[in-house]
PDB file of all heavy atoms in Angstrom:
ATOM      1  N   LEU A1113      10.108 -18.553   4.744  1.00 87.00           N
ATOM      2  CA  LEU A1113       9.989 -17.318   5.504  1.00 87.00           C
ATOM      3  C   LEU A1113      10.743 -17.447   6.820  1.00 87.00           C
ATOM      4  O   LEU A1113      10.816 -18.533   7.402  1.00 87.00           O
ATOM      5  CB  LEU A1113       8.519 -17.000   5.799  1.00 87.00           C
ATOM      6  CG  LEU A1113       7.631 -16.644   4.610  1.00 87.00           C
ATOM      7  CD1 LEU A1113       6.183 -16.506   5.064  1.00 87.00           C
ATOM      8  CD2 LEU A1113       8.095 -15.354   3.954  1.00 87.00           C
ATOM      9  N   SER A1114      11.269 -16.333   7.294  1.00 84.00           N
ATOM     10  CA  SER A1114      11.916 -16.311   8.599  1.00 84.00           C
ATOM     11  C   SER A1114      10.869 -16.486   9.695  1.00 84.00           C
ATOM     12  O   SER A1114       9.713 -16.058   9.558  1.00 84.00           O
ATOM     13  CB  SER A1114      12.655 -14.988   8.784  1.00 84.00           C
ATOM     14  OG  SER A1114      13.062 -14.817  10.125  1.00 84.00           O
ATOM     15  N   SER A1115      11.276 -17.087  10.803  1.00 83.00           N
ATOM     16  CA  SER A1115      10.344 -17.302  11.917  1.00 83.00           C
ATOM     17  C   SER A1115       9.835 -15.992  12.501  1.00 83.00           C
ATOM     18  O   SER A1115       8.752 -15.949  13.094  1.00 83.00           O
ATOM     19  CB  SER A1115      11.028 -18.126  13.017  1.00 83.00           C
ATOM     20  OG  SER A1115      12.183 -17.455  13.501  1.00 83.00           O
ATOM     21  N   VAL A1116      10.590 -14.896  12.328  1.00 79.00           N
ATOM     22  CA  VAL A1116      10.152 -13.614  12.883  1.00 79.00           C
ATOM     23  C   VAL A1116       8.853 -13.146  12.225  1.00 79.00           C
ATOM     24  O   VAL A1116       8.102 -12.361  12.806  1.00 79.00           O
ATOM     25  CB  VAL A1116      11.261 -12.546  12.720  1.00 79.00           C
ATOM     26  CG1 VAL A1116      11.394 -12.106  11.273  1.00 79.00           C
ATOM     27  CG2 VAL A1116      10.981 -11.340  13.610  1.00 79.00           C
ATOM     28  N   CYS A1117       8.557 -13.643  11.023  1.00 81.00           N
ATOM     29  CA  CYS A1117       7.324 -13.252  10.326  1.00 81.00           C
ATOM     30  C   CYS A1117       6.075 -13.644  11.102  1.00 81.00           C
ATOM     31  O   CYS A1117       5.005 -13.058  10.900  1.00 81.00           O
ATOM     32  CB  CYS A1117       7.271 -13.893   8.943  1.00 81.00           C
ATOM     33  SG  CYS A1117       8.567 -13.365   7.822  1.00 81.00           S
ATOM     34  N   TRP A1118       6.192 -14.644  11.977  1.00 82.00           N
ATOM     35  CA  TRP A1118       5.025 -15.140  12.697  1.00 82.00           C
ATOM     36  C   TRP A1118       4.950 -14.590  14.114  1.00 82.00           C
ATOM     37  O   TRP A1118       4.107 -15.021  14.895  1.00 82.00           O
ATOM     38  CB  TRP A1118       5.049 -16.669  12.725  1.00 82.00           C
ATOM     39  CG  TRP A1118       5.297 -17.240  11.362  1.00 82.00           C
ATOM     40  CD1 TRP A1118       6.366 -17.975  10.956  1.00 82.00           C
ATOM     41  CD2 TRP A1118       4.468 -17.081  10.207  1.00 82.00           C
ATOM     42  NE1 TRP A1118       6.259 -18.293   9.632  1.00 82.00           N
ATOM     43  CE2 TRP A1118       5.102 -17.757   9.142  1.00 82.00           C
ATOM     44  CE3 TRP A1118       3.254 -16.433   9.963  1.00 82.00           C
ATOM     45  CZ2 TRP A1118       4.565 -17.807   7.863  1.00 82.00           C
ATOM     46  CZ3 TRP A1118       2.719 -16.475   8.686  1.00 82.00           C
ATOM     47  CH2 TRP A1118       3.366 -17.158   7.659  1.00 82.00           C
ATOM     48  N   ASN A1119       5.821 -13.633  14.445  1.00 78.00           N
ATOM     49  CA  ASN A1119       5.728 -12.999  15.758  1.00 78.00           C
ATOM     50  C   ASN A1119       4.382 -12.287  15.871  1.00 78.00           C
ATOM     51  O   ASN A1119       4.041 -11.467  15.017  1.00 78.00           O
ATOM     52  CB  ASN A1119       6.869 -11.995  15.935  1.00 78.00           C
ATOM     53  CG  ASN A1119       6.883 -11.378  17.322  1.00 78.00           C
ATOM     54  OD1 ASN A1119       5.999 -10.609  17.677  1.00 78.00           O
ATOM     55  ND2 ASN A1119       7.895 -11.714  18.110  1.00 78.00           N
ATOM     56  N   PRO A1120       3.573 -12.589  16.904  1.00 72.00           N
ATOM     57  CA  PRO A1120       2.221 -12.022  16.981  1.00 72.00           C
ATOM     58  C   PRO A1120       2.187 -10.520  17.224  1.00 72.00           C
ATOM     59  O   PRO A1120       1.149  -9.885  17.023  1.00 72.00           O
ATOM     60  CB  PRO A1120       1.595 -12.778  18.157  1.00 72.00           C
ATOM     61  CG  PRO A1120       2.756 -13.208  18.997  1.00 72.00           C
ATOM     62  CD  PRO A1120       3.864 -13.497  18.033  1.00 72.00           C
ATOM     63  N   HIS A1121       3.305  -9.936  17.663  1.00 72.00           N
ATOM     64  CA  HIS A1121       3.315  -8.513  17.996  1.00 72.00           C
ATOM     65  C   HIS A1121       3.829  -7.632  16.857  1.00 72.00           C
ATOM     66  O   HIS A1121       3.308  -6.531  16.643  1.00 72.00           O
ATOM     67  CB  HIS A1121       4.163  -8.280  19.248  1.00 72.00           C
ATOM     68  CG  HIS A1121       3.684  -9.028  20.444  1.00 72.00           C
ATOM     69  ND1 HIS A1121       2.493  -8.734  21.072  1.00 72.00           N
ATOM     70  CD2 HIS A1121       4.218 -10.082  21.114  1.00 72.00           C
ATOM     71  CE1 HIS A1121       2.318  -9.562  22.093  1.00 72.00           C
ATOM     72  NE2 HIS A1121       3.349 -10.386  22.141  1.00 72.00           N
ATOM     73  N   PHE A1122       4.841  -8.099  16.134  1.00 76.00           N
ATOM     74  CA  PHE A1122       5.391  -7.242  15.086  1.00 76.00           C
ATOM     75  C   PHE A1122       5.847  -8.025  13.856  1.00 76.00           C
ATOM     76  O   PHE A1122       6.579  -7.502  13.021  1.00 76.00           O
ATOM     77  CB  PHE A1122       6.556  -6.401  15.623  1.00 76.00           C
ATOM     78  CG  PHE A1122       7.639  -7.193  16.311  1.00 76.00           C
ATOM     79  CD1 PHE A1122       8.588  -7.886  15.584  1.00 76.00           C
ATOM     80  CD2 PHE A1122       7.701  -7.234  17.692  1.00 76.00           C
ATOM     81  CE1 PHE A1122       9.591  -8.607  16.216  1.00 76.00           C
ATOM     82  CE2 PHE A1122       8.698  -7.952  18.340  1.00 76.00           C
ATOM     83  CZ  PHE A1122       9.646  -8.640  17.598  1.00 76.00           C
ATOM     84  N   GLY A1123       5.378  -9.263  13.716  1.00 79.00           N
ATOM     85  CA  GLY A1123       5.793 -10.068  12.576  1.00 79.00           C
ATOM     86  C   GLY A1123       5.394  -9.481  11.240  1.00 79.00           C
ATOM     87  O   GLY A1123       6.049  -9.726  10.222  1.00 79.00           O
ATOM     88  N   TYR A1124       4.319  -8.671  11.237  1.00 81.00           N
ATOM     89  CA  TYR A1124       3.856  -8.120   9.962  1.00 81.00           C
ATOM     90  C   TYR A1124       4.863  -7.170   9.330  1.00 81.00           C
ATOM     91  O   TYR A1124       4.780  -6.876   8.137  1.00 81.00           O
ATOM     92  CB  TYR A1124       2.500  -7.427  10.112  1.00 81.00           C
ATOM     93  CG  TYR A1124       2.320  -6.542  11.319  1.00 81.00           C
ATOM     94  CD1 TYR A1124       3.031  -5.365  11.477  1.00 81.00           C
ATOM     95  CD2 TYR A1124       1.404  -6.889  12.312  1.00 81.00           C
ATOM     96  CE1 TYR A1124       2.846  -4.559  12.575  1.00 81.00           C
ATOM     97  CE2 TYR A1124       1.202  -6.084  13.419  1.00 81.00           C
ATOM     98  CZ  TYR A1124       1.925  -4.915  13.549  1.00 81.00           C
ATOM     99  OH  TYR A1124       1.745  -4.112  14.642  1.00 81.00           O
ATOM    100  N   PHE A1125       5.821  -6.667  10.093  1.00 79.00           N
ATOM    101  CA  PHE A1125       6.851  -5.822   9.497  1.00 79.00           C
ATOM    102  C   PHE A1125       7.808  -6.621   8.611  1.00 79.00           C
ATOM    103  O   PHE A1125       8.506  -6.051   7.780  1.00 79.00           O
ATOM    104  CB  PHE A1125       7.664  -5.118  10.586  1.00 79.00           C
ATOM    105  CG  PHE A1125       6.978  -3.923  11.182  1.00 79.00           C
ATOM    106  CD1 PHE A1125       6.437  -3.987  12.449  1.00 79.00           C
ATOM    107  CD2 PHE A1125       6.861  -2.742  10.473  1.00 79.00           C
ATOM    108  CE1 PHE A1125       5.803  -2.889  13.008  1.00 79.00           C
ATOM    109  CE2 PHE A1125       6.227  -1.637  11.012  1.00 79.00           C
ATOM    110  CZ  PHE A1125       5.695  -1.712  12.290  1.00 79.00           C
ATOM    111  N   PHE A1126       7.846  -7.933   8.796  1.00 80.00           N
ATOM    112  CA  PHE A1126       8.877  -8.739   8.155  1.00 80.00           C
ATOM    113  C   PHE A1126       8.318  -9.786   7.198  1.00 80.00           C
ATOM    114  O   PHE A1126       9.078 -10.520   6.582  1.00 80.00           O
ATOM    115  CB  PHE A1126       9.731  -9.421   9.234  1.00 80.00           C
ATOM    116  CG  PHE A1126      10.326  -8.445  10.202  1.00 80.00           C
ATOM    117  CD1 PHE A1126       9.740  -8.225  11.440  1.00 80.00           C
ATOM    118  CD2 PHE A1126      11.446  -7.705   9.860  1.00 80.00           C
ATOM    119  CE1 PHE A1126      10.272  -7.306  12.330  1.00 80.00           C
ATOM    120  CE2 PHE A1126      11.987  -6.784  10.743  1.00 80.00           C
ATOM    121  CZ  PHE A1126      11.400  -6.578  11.976  1.00 80.00           C
ATOM    122  N   PHE A1127       6.989  -9.858   7.065  1.00 87.00           N
ATOM    123  CA  PHE A1127       6.416 -10.831   6.140  1.00 87.00           C
ATOM    124  C   PHE A1127       6.820 -10.500   4.709  1.00 87.00           C
ATOM    125  O   PHE A1127       6.762  -9.348   4.281  1.00 87.00           O
ATOM    126  CB  PHE A1127       4.890 -10.864   6.256  1.00 87.00           C
ATOM    127  CG  PHE A1127       4.253 -11.889   5.362  1.00 87.00           C
ATOM    128  CD1 PHE A1127       4.236 -13.218   5.734  1.00 87.00           C
ATOM    129  CD2 PHE A1127       3.706 -11.524   4.142  1.00 87.00           C
ATOM    130  CE1 PHE A1127       3.674 -14.174   4.906  1.00 87.00           C
ATOM    131  CE2 PHE A1127       3.138 -12.467   3.306  1.00 87.00           C
ATOM    132  CZ  PHE A1127       3.121 -13.801   3.695  1.00 87.00           C
ATOM    133  N   ARG A1128       7.225 -11.522   3.962  1.00 88.00           N
ATOM    134  CA  ARG A1128       7.648 -11.349   2.574  1.00 88.00           C
ATOM    135  C   ARG A1128       6.444 -11.526   1.650  1.00 88.00           C
ATOM    136  O   ARG A1128       5.875 -12.616   1.561  1.00 88.00           O
ATOM    137  CB  ARG A1128       8.730 -12.379   2.229  1.00 88.00           C
ATOM    138  CG  ARG A1128      10.035 -12.214   2.993  1.00 88.00           C
ATOM    139  CD  ARG A1128      10.836 -11.053   2.426  1.00 88.00           C
ATOM    140  NE  ARG A1128      11.157 -11.238   1.017  1.00 88.00           N
ATOM    141  CZ  ARG A1128      12.286 -11.792   0.568  1.00 88.00           C
ATOM    142  NH1 ARG A1128      13.208 -12.204   1.425  1.00 88.00           N
ATOM    143  NH2 ARG A1128      12.521 -11.909  -0.726  1.00 88.00           N
ATOM    144  N   HIS A1129       6.081 -10.464   0.943  1.00 92.00           N
ATOM    145  CA  HIS A1129       4.924 -10.542   0.056  1.00 92.00           C
ATOM    146  C   HIS A1129       5.254 -11.170  -1.289  1.00 92.00           C
ATOM    147  O   HIS A1129       4.391 -11.236  -2.174  1.00 92.00           O
ATOM    148  CB  HIS A1129       4.313  -9.154  -0.125  1.00 92.00           C
ATOM    149  CG  HIS A1129       3.653  -8.649   1.117  1.00 92.00           C
ATOM    150  ND1 HIS A1129       4.343  -7.937   2.071  1.00 92.00           N
ATOM    151  CD2 HIS A1129       2.395  -8.797   1.590  1.00 92.00           C
ATOM    152  CE1 HIS A1129       3.527  -7.640   3.066  1.00 92.00           C
ATOM    153  NE2 HIS A1129       2.346  -8.145   2.804  1.00 92.00           N
ATOM    154  N   ASP A1130       6.498 -11.646  -1.422  1.00 93.00           N
ATOM    155  CA  ASP A1130       6.853 -12.447  -2.591  1.00 93.00           C
ATOM    156  C   ASP A1130       6.904 -13.932  -2.228  1.00 93.00           C
ATOM    157  O   ASP A1130       7.482 -14.738  -2.960  1.00 93.00           O
ATOM    158  CB  ASP A1130       8.188 -11.998  -3.182  1.00 93.00           C
ATOM    159  CG  ASP A1130       9.319 -11.952  -2.157  1.00 93.00           C
ATOM    160  OD1 ASP A1130       9.050 -12.166  -0.957  1.00 93.00           O
ATOM    161  OD2 ASP A1130      10.472 -11.684  -2.555  1.00 93.00           O
TER     162      ASP A1130
END
Side-chain angles (χ1 to χ4, degrees):
L1113 293 174
S1114 168
S1115 59
V1116 73
C1117 296
W1118 311 116
N1119 184 291
H1121 301 292
F1122 53 79
Y1124 43 67
F1125 281 106
F1126 304 99
F1127 182 80
R1128 295 284 301 267
H1129 291 89
D1130 53 354

